[in-house]
Amino acid sequence: IIQKLKKKYPNIPQYTLKRLVDLTFSKISKELERGNSVELRKFGRWSVKNSKKKYNAINPKTGQKIYVPNKKKIIFKMSKNLKSKINSKLWKRRFL
């Protein structure tokens, strides 16, 4: 990411770009740790979801029933804008 930003903005020092990227991902991580959702317009939204505990889960290797406690998962939902861009590019690659 930093190398691509450096090519696009050659006047900005690389250490500034690195700091900016690090701060962005650090802030996203901290908000998710607090249980808050994070949204970047025209890109998508991250949120934390609690999964339920399972008493009847099966270990695929042994076939034994196991208990799986509650867990938290990070869910990403892309924006309509990003979804349409990705799908239009896939369609163009596949059929043109």
Side-chain angles (χ1 to χ4, degrees):
I1 293 173
I2 294 167
Q3 291 172 351
K4 289 184 180 188
L5 286 171
K6 184 64 179 166
K7 287 180 184 176
K8 189 168 184 175
Y9 305 103
N11 295 336
I12 300 175
Q14 186 168 344
Y15 67 88
T16 304
L17 294 171
K18 183 179 182 328
R19 178 104 168 110
L20 179 66
V21 170
D22 289 344
L23 285 171
T24 302
F25 284 111
S26 174
K27 183 64 176 171
I28 291 171
S29 298
K30 285 180 183 176
E31 289 301 316
L32 290 171
E33 286 173 17
R34 292 182 184 136
N36 300 329
S37 56
V38 178
E39 181 179 352
L40 294 176
R41 295 284 177 176
K42 297 185 179 183
F43 184 72
R45 184 173 68 104
W46 291 271
S47 58
V48 178
K49 180 181 177 185
N50 292 320
S51 66
K52 296 178 184 178
K53 56 187 167 189
K54 298 176 188 173
Y55 292 99
N56 297 354
I58 296 175
N59 180 344
K61 193 171 187 178
T62 63
Q64 278 185 317
K65 287 188 177 183
I66 57 173
Y67 168 74
V68 179
N70 290 342
K71 294 181 183 180
K72 292 185 178 184
K73 298 178 182 181
I74 296 176
I75 305 296
F76 178 75
K77 184 174 182 182
M78 71 177 96
S79 69
K80 289 180 183 179
N81 183 34
L82 180 60
K83 192 174 192 176
S84 66
K85 285 182 179 180
I86 289 173
N87 287 325
S88 67
K89 286 183 181 180
L90 287 174
W91 187 85
K92 286 177 186 175
R93 270 193 237 144
R94 198 174 277 165
F95 297 108
L96 296 179

